[in-house]
Amino acid sequence: MSAVVAAQQAVNAASTAAGSHGPNLVPVVTLLAAAVIAVPLFKRLGLGAVLGYLAAGLLIGPSVLGLIHDPATILQTAELGVVMFLFIVGLEMRPAHLWQMRRQIFGLGVLQVGLAMALLTPVGVVIGAWLGRGLDWEQAWVAGTGFVLTSTAIVMQMLVERKQLASPAGQKVVSILLLEDLLIVPLLAIVTFIAPGGHEGGHVALGWQVRALNIGLALGAFLVLLAVGRWLLNPLFVLLSAVRSREVMTAAALLVVLGAALWMDLGGLSTAMGAFIAGVMLAESSFRHQLEADVEPFKGLLLGLFFLAVGMSMDLTVIAAQWQLVLGSVVAYMLLKSAAIYLIARLVKTSHEVALERMVLMAQGGEFAFVLYAAATSVGLMEAEVNSVYTAVIILSMVLTPLMLIAHGRWVSRCARRRINEPERAYDTEMDHSPVIIAGFGRFGQMVGRLLLANGIVSTIMDSDAEHIESMRQFGFHVYYGDATRLDLLQAAGAAQAKVLVVAVDDKEAAKTIVERVRQAYPHLQVFARAYDVSHYYDLRRIGAHVAQREVYESSLRLGRHVLETLGVGAYEAKEMADGFRLANEKQVDAFARMREKAEFKDYIQAIRTSREELERQLREETAQRGKEGHDWEASERRAHDERP
């Protein structure tokens, strides 16, 4: 305790001294130091950055060290981090993409929010009655509905850290968050309506007029922002870019983000929603990446400050005094909201694993609950003490979310390990036969199979990954579960009658085993094998593969052609350069196959180096010669044909 008091006195003394000579930098330095120490420490412990910010905030906040005395003000400023986060998310979503998400936003989102509201509203009444501090139904509805609104800041940050923001599952979560952001407007109107005296006497007429005016203002603000984003923002950035000043562009980016947020706030809408719409309107702009780069540093700093402020806002005194009500509400709210999320996800045919992950990710209350509770308190619907208790409930649920995600991740890993150790599923032993067998249906085998299928050739496909097979079946591919290194399963696949075997497995040793065994057991089969690299290519050719193809060889050459064309080389000439390189390289590889087995390694490396330099000199001379002779597509094809062995 004495150390805490000493720290407080030191900070207070520093604040006083700083205040007498200039701006008070002590709170800023304290916040930055807390973040710099806690976040790397928590990330190193595998606990994530968000939990690090929350813990640091709790430590320096009024409840523990008391180094920062006014977390509410910091939280209000730090919410700009959420605003900028939504702007960057909007930049990633073109209007057409957002239109495609309309069913998820207004279908999935409405179902989840509606069921969660129905389940959470009675909680305040039941728990309160049990503890002798019951809420009436209006207060219970406000408390429960506030908890339904998920924390955009936490969920978005988690999606980014887990690289799931652009995934289909991540996009559905974003859709639900967008709907919840939209809901804050009608929810505030309902709070005003059900407030004591809000629907009686002369106040009702004024209330309806005010509500109609508010709805009109909100709709007008929304449409104006759409119009500005559609017709003015891009021309504005074109004009500003002519100034060629990085500072002006950064200022303009911040102006757009904060201006859109302010405009929507004046219209009674969510500031985060305003920034999101501005981002969407600029998603197809050529300045998109410039804007993202300009806003990103501010977003990261303010979002971290937001989490720090949430940690500082946790009032341990309230939690200690009302611990039964707080803990009971947190448990009940999180369980019931989780149940609603899981049930709706399963109802729309989401897999168990994805539904479970979404449930854990979105089980907490969010920052919009603070707004809703404050509005309810200001109109007399919720007492100040009740507001403090349920604000603590929200904050505690936000703190628990990273811990729950960590526990969920470990549980998923344990289940995966258990599945691996379970007795293997029986291999398929009855398969349809075809002239072509494909062993391995990953990214390489899929391209081969799809090409054949597109030309009317149905292959017999085998793969040894049961989970991958199930995912492929969802896309309409009939893949048999089988290990192609086993001759009995190749026999079941029709190897005795087939003409071609494509070895496309990604395990180098397994590929060599398959080729060796097939060449001995089925010598009539033409074996086409996927090679991981040149060494693997040599091995496959040595043990009898008729054709071995390095897996990234052709795609690399094609990409190189595009680079040459981008640098100003004509399309025909780029193709001829790539063809010449391919021809010479294949000759080299074949020539060095024999040398690799006989020569010393250092001599082999030196020979490759000399040969590569000779190849580059030769290709440069051929390119220069083509420039003198002139060239066309037909001549190129003739030369390529004549040079092939």
Side-chain angles (χ1 to χ4, degrees), residues 180-194:
E180 292 178 352
D181 282 0
L182 285 171
L183 273 183
I184 190 62
V185 181
L187 288 176
L188 290 174
I190 293 173
V191 163
T192 306
F193 178 70
I194 65 176

Side-chain angles (χ1 to χ4, degrees), residues 1 10 16 21 32 72 116 146 153 215 236 241 291-292 313 318 330-331 345 371 401 442 466 481 493 496 502 578 583:
M1 183 60 74
T16 304
H21 299 292
L32 291 174
I215 292 173
L236 171 67
S241 66
L291 291 169
E292 188 171 348
S313 302
V318 171
V330 168
V331 172
V371 178
T401 299
Y481 181 46
V502 178
L583 187 63

Side-chain angles (χ1 to χ4, degrees), residues 94-163:
R94 291 176 170 81
H97 179 59
L98 195 62
W99 178 249
Q100 290 174 351
M101 293 170 61
R102 65 189 184 283
R103 291 184 179 176
Q104 296 176 13
I105 296 173
F106 296 104
L108 177 64
V110 168
L111 284 174
Q112 178 177 310
V113 170
L115 180 59
M117 280 185 185
L119 292 176
L120 267 61
T121 296
V123 170
V125 176
V126 174
I127 292 184
W130 180 48
L131 295 174
R133 295 187 290 274
L135 302 179
D136 57 33
W137 281 98
E138 287 83 0
Q139 290 185 353
W141 177 81
V142 172
T145 300
F147 200 93
V148 169
L149 304 177
T150 310
S151 171
T152 301
I154 288 181
V155 174
M156 285 290 194
Q157 182 68 21
M158 288 296 176
L159 288 175
V160 169
E161 287 185 8
R162 299 154 76 97
K163 298 182 172 44

Side-chain angles (χ1 to χ4, degrees), residues 169-494:
Q171 292 289 289
K172 288 182 180 176
V173 172
V174 172
S175 301
I176 299 169
L177 292 175
L178 290 177
L179 177 82
E180 292 178 352
D181 282 0
L182 285 171
L183 273 183
I184 190 62
V185 181
L187 288 176
L188 290 174
I190 293 173
V191 163
T192 306
F193 178 70
I194 65 176
H199 53 285
E200 294 179 356
H203 189 69
V204 65
L206 181 61
W208 278 109
Q209 290 172 353
V210 170
R211 281 193 290 278
L213 180 62
N214 288 340
I215 292 173
L217 283 174
L219 185 61
F222 183 78
L223 293 176
V224 168
L225 184 59
L226 284 181
V228 170
R230 175 69 177 84
W231 288 295
L232 292 184
L233 287 186
N234 208 42
L236 171 67
F237 280 103
V238 171
L239 285 175
L240 293 176
S241 66
V243 180
R244 298 184 182 280
S245 169
R246 177 69 185 270
E247 291 76 13
V248 170
M249 291 298 287
T250 302
L254 292 175
L255 174 63
V256 167
V257 179
L258 301 182
L262 174 62
W263 179 253
M264 293 296 266
D265 188 43
L266 292 174
L269 294 170
S270 157
T271 54
M273 179 59 64
F276 176 78
I277 293 173
V280 171
M281 292 295 103
L282 287 165
E284 294 182 312
S285 166
S286 55
F287 299 97
R288 180 165 70 95
H289 297 295
Q290 170 82 40
L291 291 169
E292 188 171 348
D294 288 339
V295 173
E296 179 69 31
F298 298 97
K299 182 268 292 182
L301 197 60
L302 287 172
L303 204 57
L305 189 59
F306 172 80
F307 293 127
L308 280 170
V310 169
M312 286 187 284
S313 302
M314 184 178 288
D315 192 340
L316 296 182
T317 307
V318 171
I319 295 176
Q322 307 265 12
W323 68 270
Q324 291 176 311
L325 181 58
V326 171
L327 293 182
S329 298
V330 168
V331 172
Y333 279 153
M334 294 190 81
L335 284 178
L336 291 173
K337 186 177 180 183
S338 299
I341 294 169
Y342 182 82
L343 288 173
I344 295 302
R346 295 293 286 162
L347 184 68
V348 297
K349 300 181 179 178
T350 302
S351 69
H352 166 71
E353 291 77 12
V354 174
L356 202 61
E357 185 177 25
R358 187 184 304 166
M359 181 186 84
V360 178
L361 190 64
M362 303 186 75
Q364 81 290 135
E367 49 277 4
F368 281 123
F370 305 145
V371 178
L372 194 65
Y373 294 168
T377 304
S378 67
V379 296
L381 182 62
M382 182 178 270
E383 297 172 1
E385 184 182 356
V386 176
N387 185 349
S388 300
V389 169
Y390 284 92
T391 297
V393 170
I394 296 289
I395 293 173
L396 197 56
S397 72
M398 295 167 80
V399 173
L400 288 174
T401 299
L403 296 173
M404 291 173 57
L405 283 168
I406 291 170
H408 172 259
R410 291 178 179 173
W411 179 76
V412 169
S413 301
R414 191 179 301 117
C415 289
R417 287 196 298 272
R418 192 180 302 157
R419 278 199 301 271
I420 292 173
N421 294 328
E422 285 177 352
E424 290 188 354
R425 163 187 164 182
Y427 288 126
D428 294 326
T429 55
E430 295 184 3
M431 309 183 200
D432 293 332
H433 294 178
S434 79
V436 179
I437 300 172
I438 298 177
F441 205 57
R443 52 193 169 87
F444 193 96
Q446 283 176 42
M447 292 307 296
V448 178
R450 288 174 58 190
L451 173 63
L452 297 177
L453 188 62
N455 290 279
I457 302 171
V458 179
S459 308
T460 301
I461 306 169
M462 304 171 63
D463 199 289
S464 59
D465 186 337
E467 190 173 340
H468 179 60
I469 288 172
E470 291 305 318
S471 67
M472 285 294 99
R473 282 180 177 168
Q474 293 178 14
F475 292 97
F477 293 106
H478 191 181
V479 183
Y480 293 104
Y481 181 46
D483 181 358
T485 60
R486 287 175 48 172
L487 288 177
D488 60 327
L489 294 178
L490 283 172
Q491 180 69 21

